[in-house]
Amino acid sequence: MPRKRSLYSTQFRQFGPTRRRFLQGSAAAIAGVTLSNCRQNIAEGPATDETTDAAPTDGGGAEPGVLHVYTWADYTNDALVEAFKEQTGIDVIVDVYDSNETMLAKMQAGGGDAYSIIYPSDYMVQQMIELGLLTSIDKDRIEGLDNIFDKWQDPAYDPGNTFSIPYAWGTTGLLYNKEVVSGTPTDWEYLWENQGDLSRRITLLDDVRETMGAVLSSLGYSYNSTDPAEIEAAFDRLIELKPAIASFMSFGFEDALFGGDLNMVMAYSVDAIAATLEDERMEYFVPESGSSVWTDTMIIPVGAPNVDAAYQWINFNLDPAISQMSTEMLFNATPNKVAFDNLSDELISNTDLFPPQEVLDRCEGIAPVGEATALYDEFWTRVTSA
Amino acid sequence: MTASPTSKRWRFSQLELGQQFKRLLGALTLLAPPGLWLILFLVLPTLLILDISLVPGLRPGESGDGYGLGNYSRVFNPFDAAFDSVYLQVIGRSLYYATGTTLACLLMGFPVAYWLALMAPRRWRNFLVVAFILPLWTSSLLRAYAWISILRPSGLLNSFIGWLSGGLPGVQLPEQAWLYTSAAVLIGLTYNFLPYMVLILYASLEKLDISLLEAAADLGATPRQTFWQVTVPQTLPGIAAGCLLVFITSMGDFVVPTLLGGASSMTISRLIYNQFLGITRNWGLGSALSMVMILAVSLMIALLLKYGDRDSVKEA
Amino acid sequence: MSQTVSPSIASPQTQQVLDVELRQVSKYFGGEAAIQDIDLKIREGEFFSILGPSGCGKTTTLRLIAGFEQPSAGMVLIQGRDMSRTPAHRRSVNTVFQSYALFNHMTVKDNIAFGLRVKRMGRSQREQRVADALQLVKMGSFAHRYPQQLSGGQKQRVALARALVNRPAVMLLDEPLGALDLKLRKQMQVELTNLHQQLGITFVMVTHDQEEALSLSNRIAVMKDGDIEQIGTPSEIYDYPQTPFVADFIGETNLLQGEVEFADSQMLRLLTPEGTTVLVNRSEANLPDLKTAVVSVRPENIRLSQEAPLNEGNCYSGYVKHIMYLGTHLHCVVQLQTGERLTVMQPNRSEQSLTPETPVYVSWLPSDCLALAA
C-alpha cells in the first residue's frame, strides 16, 4: 500500500508542532513525489558520509560493506541502521519512494541493480513476481521466519513467502477531529450522510485503488472489484461526494486537520496513529463496511548487489527485538508473533495499531485487478478532472 | 616557360575549392558539439516518445500490439469507442492555467520590470533585482506550502479579510474558500513564475534607449501614447520571450496544481506523470499526451517567433 | 494643443520677440551643479548655437528647453510663457537628437508621421505634411524603409524631417552633425542653413565644434563649467573674445599673462614673468584698471620674418621650434629668447626657407591683440 508518509509524524511528537518543522518535513516528503526518489542517508558517521558522496544510484551497491535499501519514508531510522552496523559492520544507505508504482517504474527502467532490498506492498509483490523482477528467497539463509504469525506464513500475494518476507502491516481508515465532527462515525457512509457539514473539509487518499476501493466497499462491493458496472457505480458515488472533497492527498494533511481547516481525512494507520498520539482530539477508525489491510514486505530484486548483506538485513529485521523496536518507534504493526507478545500492553491494546479480528475480517488486501486497471485509471482521471 | 592562363585558373580554383572545403569543415567542427547535443538530448528522446506514442496501450515489459494512432484517437477522435472527452478537458484546463499565469505574470511583471529598469534609483537597482528574484532560490515546494498557509480557510488571507470587515464598519467582505480552487493554482503559478517574467522584461527594458522615450515625448506623445507606441513595441521580443518561458514552464509544472489545486485540478503534466508512474503504466497514452504537449509548446514558439519577426519580415 | 495659458511675461529690456528665454536657471544633479544662474535670450527666427567643451552644461541647457529636465531654480520661457514645469510633450519645441533616436520599429514615413499621429491629425492632412517634410529633406524615395536600412546622413535627414513636420516654434539640435564624417558634415551644414532660411524657425543648436557654430549661427553662446562665458555673433566671439577661455576655445590663440606696467586710455603695457613687454591697444572700454591681464594674439596676426621688422609694435626674436606644413599655410611654433613659445600661422611663400632652428623675428601691432582680464 502506498504509505506516502511525511517524516513529520515522529519528529512532531518529539519536538512539538512548530510550523517550520512541519514545512521542512512535508517538503522533504513531497520532494519524494516530485523527484520520485529522494536519497536520504539515515546513518551517520564519517564512513557513511564518504559512501554517500560516492554512491551513484546505479551500481553503487556493488561496494562491499554497503547495503542500499529502497523503502518508504520512515520505514527505518537512525537507531535501526546504527544497530545493524554495530551487528554486521555494514553501512546502510536508504533511498525512499512514495508509491509502489514509482518504485516499479524505476525498477523497470533498469534501476533494479542499484538496490539490495526493496519494500513493496502485497499486491505489488504479486505484480513484480509476474514481471520476473524478484529473486526467490533462499530459506536456508533466513532465520526467524517461524516467528511470523501464521496468517503471513502463506499469504495470497506470495504463497509460501517464496519471494518476499513480511515486514509490517496496517490498515486504511478515517482520521477525524472529534470536537468538530458530529456523532461517532463508524463507516464510510458517514461521509455521504454528512456531506453538507463536511463541505470542502475532507480529503481522500491520492491513490486510485485505495479511494475507489473505499467507495466500492461502501457500496458493498469488493475492494478489488473488476466488474465494470461496479467500478462505474463507485465512480458515480465518488462524484456525488466531490463537492465535499477538498483535495486528494496521501500526506501532509496533519496541519490542516489540527488547525481546523479539515474535519476528516482518509489515512493509513501509521500516519493516523501518529496523529492521534500527537493531538488527543484526533480519532481513527477502520470503517465497518470494510477497508484495506496491507502488508509491506522485504524483497531482493533480480540483479541485486551484495546479496549477502541483503540476507543479513532481512534476518536483522526478523529479529523479534528489532521488529519490536520498529513497531514502538515507527508505528507499523509487526507481523512478528514474538515481537508482538513482547510489546507493552498499551500498544497491544491500541486498536488503531492492532484492530480486533472482527474488524480485520471485514478488510481485504488490495490485489492486482488485471485488465480493470485501465478502467480504474480512466475513472480516476475523470474524478480528479471533474 | 610561362604557365598557360587556363592552368593558372585551374590551380586557382582548386585552391579555392580547398579553402571552401576547409571552411566548411571548420564550420562543421564548430557546429558539431551543439548539433550532437541537440540530436542526443532533444531529437532522439522526442523520436523515442513519438515511437512509444504510436503503440496503443503500451506498457513497460510488453511488446504492444503494433503501431497505430489509437492513443491519439482516444484523446482527439470523438468517433472512437475509446474516446474520452476528459483528456481534452484536462488539456483545456492546462492551457487555461498556462494562459492565465502568463497574462497575470505579464500584467504584474511589466510595471515592476519597468520600475526597476527605468525608475528605481540606479545604485539600488541591482539590489532590487536580486531581491525580486530571491524567491527563486527557495524550493517551489516550500513556496507552494507558504501559499497553503495563506490560502487555507483559517489562513492569512481570510484572517485579513475578516480583519478588514471588522475594521471597516458597513463593509462586509465574505471570507472565501481559496485553497483548492483554480484561483489558488493561478496564484501559486503566478507567484512561481513572476520572477522569471520580471527578469526577462527587466533585461529587455534595461536595453531600451531612453532617448526614444524622450523623442516620443518631444514629438508630443503623452506618457500613455509613448508607452503603447514606443516602449511596448521596442520591448516586444522581451515580452514574447517572457511569455513563452512562463507559458511553457507553467504548463509543465505539476507541483502547484497538485498541492494547491485540490480535488479537481488534473493537468496534462500530472496526467502524463500518472500514465508513467501511476497504476496503469500506460506509456503509450502517456507518450501521446507528451507529444501533444510538445506540439502545443512548439506551435506557441513558432507563432511567437513569427509574430515577433513580423516587422523584419515586412521590411524585407 | 490646449493648455492653461500662463500669463505672458514680457521682457522689459528688449523690444525683440524672444522665442526662448532662460532666467537665472540652475540645474543640480545630486548636489552637483550642471548649470548655474544662466540667463539666455534667443530671438525669434535666430540660428543660435550653444558652444562649449564636453561637460560644460550645454546639453543640459538644451534639455531644459526641451523639457526633458526641469530647472532646479529659475525660469524657462518659450514664446513668452513660463514652461518651467510643463512636460516635454506639451511644449512647442522639437528636438533632433545626437543619436537621431529614430523608432526602428517604424518606417521612415511612420517615424515622421509620429508627432502628427499622436496629436490626432487627420489622415489626409498628415500624409500631405509628411510628404512635404520628406520632400524638404530629399528623402521622398525612402519613405518605406526602416531606419536600420539608412546611412548616417539619411538618418539625420529623417530625424530633421520628423522634428520639422510638427512646425515647432523652436527646433533644438543636439550635436546634430556629430556622428557624420567630415564631407557629409559640410554638406549637411549647408542644408541646415538652407532649411533655417527657408522655414524661418528658431534653431537652437548644441555643438562642441566651434567651426560649425561659427559658420552656421547668427549668435553663439560659449559655455564653460555650467556658466555662459560670452554671447555674441560669430565675429564678436572670434574677434573680441571677452575671456581668455573664449579666446582660446574659439580658434587658436596665444595667451600671454603678465602684470600691467602702464595703462592709459589708449594703451596698455604688460610685462610677462619672463620679462617680455607687450603693447596692447585698449580698444574697448571693457577693461577696468587691472593689475594683471592676459594678452591674446591670434597666430594669423603674427608676422614672421628673418630680418628685423620695421614696425613699432611688438617685436621679438627667437627661433623656429616646430614647423608644420598645412598647404596654404605654415604652422610654426617659435621659441622666444625670453622663453615663451608662440604659435604663428604664416602664409606659405616659397621664397622662405624655414626649418627648425632658423632664427626668426615675430611681430604684431598693438591693435592686432587684445587684453583680457586674467
Side-chain angles (χ1 to χ4, degrees), chain A residues 181-183 185-195 198 264:
Chain A
V181 161
S182 59
T186 55
D187 192 31
W188 299 115
E189 202 53 41
Y190 183 90
L191 295 174
W192 279 268
E193 282 165 3
N194 298 277
Q195 196 174 336
L198 292 173
M264 189 176 263

Side-chain angles (χ1 to χ4, degrees), chain A residues 19 22-24 26-28 30-34 36 98-102 104-106 108-109 123 127 131 200-201 203 206-209 242 245-249 251-252 255-256 259-262 373-378 380-386, chain B residues 59-62 74 82-87 89-90 93 139-142 144-146 148-149 151-155 177-181 254-255 257-267 270-271 273-283 285:
Chain A
R19 162 157 298 277
F22 165 71
L23 283 174
Q24 282 170 344
S26 306
I30 304 163
V33 185
T34 326
S36 308
D98 62 287
S99 83
N100 281 307
E101 285 71 23
T102 304
L104 177 62
K106 182 160 182 182
Q108 286 192 312
Y123 76 99
Q127 202 168 339
L131 290 167
R200 297 182 67 83
R201 290 190 171 274
T203 65
D206 185 19
D207 182 301
V208 47
R209 292 298 312 282
K242 206 56 198 304
I245 304 170
S247 188
F248 293 101
M249 57 201 309
F251 51 86
D255 194 46
D261 290 330
L262 291 174
T373 307
L375 205 56
Y376 274 96
D377 184 64
E378 275 167 42
W380 185 245
T381 302
R382 281 197 227 169
V383 166
T384 50
S385 195
Chain B
R59 285 178 176 73
E62 296 172 7
R74 204 173 149 190
F83 172 76
D84 194 336
S85 64
V86 75
Y87 297 116
Q89 201 184 328
V90 167
R93 179 181 294 116
S139 152
S140 68
L141 287 161
L142 217 60
Y145 264 89
I148 288 178
S149 68
L151 299 174
R152 60 193 187 144
S154 62
W178 302 97
L179 191 57
Y180 306 134
T181 62
F254 64 86
V255 173
T258 304
L259 291 180
L260 302 180
S264 303
S265 60
M266 186 56 75
T267 59
R270 286 181 72 193
L271 195 55
Y273 178 93
N274 284 354
Q275 295 309 313
F276 282 95
L277 300 176
I279 58 159
T280 52
R281 296 177 305 122
N282 188 340
W283 287 17
L285 182 61

Side-chain angles (χ1 to χ4, degrees), chain A residues 13-204:
Chain A
R13 208 166 39 257
Q14 285 162 3
F15 303 112
T18 68
R19 162 157 298 277
R20 177 171 303 171
R21 185 158 294 114
F22 165 71
L23 283 174
Q24 282 170 344
S26 306
I30 304 163
V33 185
T34 326
L35 309 169
S36 308
N37 176 6
C38 151
R39 174 160 295 237
Q40 176 201 35
N41 178 21
I42 286 181
E44 281 167 6
T48 28
D49 284 346
E50 226 167 78
T51 46
T52 312
D53 292 341
T57 312
D58 47 344
E63 313 143 58
V66 178
L67 179 69
H68 287 264
V69 172
Y70 197 26
T71 185
W72 306 93
D74 266 13
Y75 257 41
T76 188
N77 67 8
D78 286 354
L80 292 171
V81 165
E82 279 303 307
F84 181 67
K85 193 188 175 188
E86 216 164 277
Q87 198 174 330
T88 64
I90 298 171
D91 284 321
V92 177
I93 293 177
V94 178
D95 284 355
V96 299
Y97 55 85
D98 62 287
S99 83
N100 281 307
E101 285 71 23
T102 304
M103 179 273 291
L104 177 62
K106 182 160 182 182
M107 290 298 107
Q108 286 192 312
D113 53 3
Y115 301 105
S116 307
I117 291 281
I118 305 178
Y119 284 67
S121 306
D122 33 37
Y123 76 99
M124 185 52 64
V125 172
Q126 199 171 341
Q127 202 168 339
M128 290 175 89
I129 294 170
E130 283 163 17
L131 290 167
L133 294 169
L134 307 187
T135 49
S136 59
I137 305 280
D138 182 355
K139 292 286 164 47
D140 295 342
R141 301 175 69 175
I142 296 290
E143 293 161 23
L145 189 56
D146 45 348
N147 288 335
I148 299 293
F149 277 110
D150 283 349
K151 62 176 169 183
W152 280 286
Q153 289 295 354
D154 191 23
Y157 60 83
D158 179 21
N161 287 325
T162 316
F163 295 94
S164 65
I165 303 296
Y167 169 71
W169 65 280
T171 55
T172 304
L174 289 169
L175 172 69
Y176 64 97
N177 181 341
K178 63 187 172 199
E179 282 186 2
V180 295
V181 161
S182 59
T184 309
T186 55
D187 192 31
W188 299 115
E189 202 53 41
Y190 183 90
L191 295 174
W192 279 268
E193 282 165 3
N194 298 277
Q195 196 174 336
D197 295 341
L198 292 173
S199 177
R200 297 182 67 83
R201 290 190 171 274
I202 60 176
T203 65
L204 301 183

Side-chain angles (χ1 to χ4, degrees), chain B residues 214 217-218 221 225 229 234 315, chain C residues 63 89 94-95 104-105 118:
Chain B
E214 287 178 347
D218 185 74
Q225 284 172 322
Q229 296 184 32
Q234 286 288 330
E315 82 187 49
Chain C
R63 291 172 63 80
H89 68 274
N94 284 111
T95 308
N104 57 17
H105 61 286
V118 296

Side-chain angles (χ1 to χ4, degrees), chain B residues 1-311:
Chain B
M1 279 288 290
T2 51
S4 74
T6 36
S7 76
K8 238 184 198 168
R9 181 168 300 152
W10 183 82
R11 255 186 286 152
F12 175 68
S13 68
Q14 197 184 31
L15 187 76
E16 211 175 37
L17 257 180
Q19 277 177 340
Q20 273 186 352
F21 180 71
K22 261 189 195 163
R23 221 176 288 149
L24 190 71
L25 206 68
L28 278 178
T29 328
L30 277 176
L31 275 175
L36 209 66
W37 190 89
L38 271 180
I39 289 171
L40 265 179
F41 296 110
L42 195 76
V43 178
L44 281 182
T46 309
L47 288 176
L48 207 66
I49 295 172
L50 182 66
D51 179 55
I52 296 172
S53 79
L54 291 171
V55 184
L58 179 71
R59 285 178 176 73
E62 296 172 7
S63 57
D65 314 329
Y67 286 97
L69 288 171
N71 292 321
Y72 293 96
S73 159
R74 204 173 149 190
V75 177
F76 289 112
N77 183 2
F79 304 108
D80 190 323
F83 172 76
D84 194 336
S85 64
V86 75
Y87 297 116
L88 286 177
Q89 201 184 328
V90 167
I91 292 171
R93 179 181 294 116
S94 304
L95 288 173
Y96 165 69
Y97 284 156
T99 311
T101 304
T102 307
L103 283 178
C105 283
L106 183 61
L107 289 180
M108 292 166 72
F110 204 100
V112 173
Y114 189 91
W115 181 79
L116 281 175
L118 300 175
M119 292 157 84
R122 191 167 283 278
R123 65 204 147 121
W124 287 101
R125 210 164 281 174
N126 284 339
F127 170 78
L128 287 168
V129 170
V130 170
F132 213 83
I133 60 170
L134 211 59
L136 288 180
W137 297 357
T138 63
S139 152
S140 68
L141 287 161
L142 217 60
R143 282 178 270 159
Y145 264 89
W147 276 109
I148 288 178
S149 68
I150 293 171
L151 299 174
R152 60 193 187 144
S154 62
L156 279 176
L157 184 56
N158 274 338
S159 307
F160 180 67
I161 290 173
W163 176 80
L164 270 188
S165 299
L168 303 167
V171 180
Q172 202 55 48
L173 294 163
E175 290 187 18
Q176 290 194 23
W178 302 97
L179 191 57
Y180 306 134
T181 62
S182 291
V185 177
L186 285 174
I187 290 172
L189 286 173
T190 302
Y191 179 76
N192 258 7
F193 298 116
L194 186 59
Y196 294 102
M197 181 67 99
V198 168
L199 210 58
I200 291 178
L201 290 178
Y202 172 78
S204 182
L205 281 162
E206 208 201 10
K207 277 183 286 181
L208 181 66
D209 184 356
I210 303 297
S211 70
L212 292 183
L213 305 185
E214 287 178 347
D218 185 74
L219 293 166
T222 60
R224 181 191 296 254
Q225 284 172 322
T226 301
F227 179 79
W228 288 109
Q229 296 184 32
V230 178
T231 312
V232 169
Q234 286 288 330
T235 48
L236 210 55
I239 294 172
C243 286
L244 204 62
L245 184 83
V246 170
F247 186 88
I248 294 170
T249 45
S250 60
M251 184 113 158
D253 188 275
F254 64 86
V255 173
V256 170
T258 304
L259 291 180
L260 302 180
S264 303
S265 60
M266 186 56 75
T267 59
I268 188 166
S269 43
R270 286 181 72 193
L271 195 55
I272 292 169
Y273 178 93
N274 284 354
Q275 295 309 313
F276 282 95
L277 300 176
I279 58 159
T280 52
R281 296 177 305 122
N282 188 340
W283 287 17
L285 182 61
S287 297
L289 290 167
S290 301
M291 284 310 294
V292 170
M293 201 160 142
I294 290 169
L295 282 176
V297 165
S298 307
L299 197 72
M300 281 286 296
I301 295 177
L303 278 177
L304 276 168
L305 280 183
K306 197 181 169 202
Y307 174 72
D309 259 359
R310 208 165 56 180
D311 283 347

